Amino acid sequence: MTKREVRIAILGELSLQPKQVIWDIGAGTGSVSIEISRLSNTSKVYAIEKTAVGINIITKNCKRFRTHNVVPFALTNLQELYELPSPDRIFIGGSGGKLIEILEICQQKLKENGIITISLATVENLGMSINWLKNNSWNYTLLSIQLSRSLAIANLTRLYPINPVFLLRANRK
């Protein structure tokens, strides 16, 4: 599950507006989709996940948090993304090793003035994403998030680090 602090940054980078269509690709447990839903209850959020376990968890979490505008979408083939309505915003939280293919489809489907935000945990995927964005004439900004949380040790408090995350926010030039 995406850490709370990172979810907050993702929501900010998406610049959500009312009545949008939003894709959450690699939705995992649906934590980002649910946060989007709660902030923008007039939007339609597609929580796109390739695993049956993930779809089951997303469905349960949507019921638990009483979201009415999240649509769990089981993706078995990337071509199925073409069946979805064109999005105003796209969040990519997981790619299953097919990041470039996903970006190619997103480039075709994203509405004018749309925004893509990508969460990346590895330097390799960050480099690949930046190269793709440059080669396809997209504007982008990069945010590096490095957090630590407190941990009580006896009568003392120390900080333990959370793995760093990169957020890329992109729009067409």
Side-chain angles (χ1 to χ4, degrees):
M1 177 173 33
T2 305
K3 303 287 186 253
R4 179 177 52 86
E5 298 87 351
V6 175
R7 286 195 312 267
I8 291 166
I10 290 165
L11 295 171
E13 294 298 301
L14 286 170
S15 299
L16 299 170
Q17 302 296 317
K19 299 181 181 177
Q20 291 183 317
V21 172
I22 303 153
W23 291 2
D24 177 359
I25 300 175
T29 64
S31 64
V32 172
S33 293
I34 289 167
E35 294 286 0
I36 292 169
S37 168
R38 295 170 85 183
L39 277 178
S40 187
N41 65 3
T42 60
S43 294
K44 188 144 207 167
V45 184
Y46 290 87
I48 303 162
E49 177 57 41
K50 68 178 185 174
T51 68
V53 171
I55 291 295
N56 187 37
I57 292 169
I58 292 166
T59 302
K60 286 180 180 176
N61 283 336
C62 286
K63 287 177 185 170
R64 178 179 171 209
F65 291 100
R66 296 182 176 102
T67 60
H68 66 279
N69 58 334
V70 175
V71 178
F73 186 84
L75 186 72
T76 57
N77 181 317
L78 287 180
Q79 298 304 309
E80 293 169 336
L81 291 172
Y82 288 108
E83 299 169 14
L84 294 174
S86 291
D88 300 282
R89 301 290 187 264
I90 299 172
F91 170 63
I92 302 173
S95 65
K98 297 184 179 186
L99 183 56
I100 297 303
E101 294 93 326
I102 290 169
L103 287 170
E104 292 288 342
I105 294 169
C106 291
Q107 178 170 244
Q108 294 174 40
K109 290 287 289 185
L110 187 66
K111 290 180 186 175
E112 188 175 339
N113 299 318
I115 294 171
I116 297 176
T117 298
I118 311 166
S119 176
L120 302 150
T122 68
V123 175
E124 290 79 8
N125 281 344
L126 173 62
M128 188 183 337
S129 298
I130 289 174
N131 285 336
W132 185 90
L133 292 168
K134 285 181 179 179
N135 291 336
N136 288 278
S137 301
W138 284 69
N139 293 315
Y140 69 89
T141 57
L142 174 63
L143 180 63
S144 174
I145 303 173
Q146 299 180 345
L147 301 166
S148 296
R149 289 196 178 145
S150 63
L151 176 66
I153 299 177
N155 293 330
L156 303 172
T157 304
R158 73 168 226 158
L159 296 175
Y160 71 95
I162 298 171
N163 289 334
V165 174
F166 301 104
L167 290 184
L168 267 176
R169 180 186 195 267
N171 61 304
R172 291 192 181 116
K173 289 184 180 178

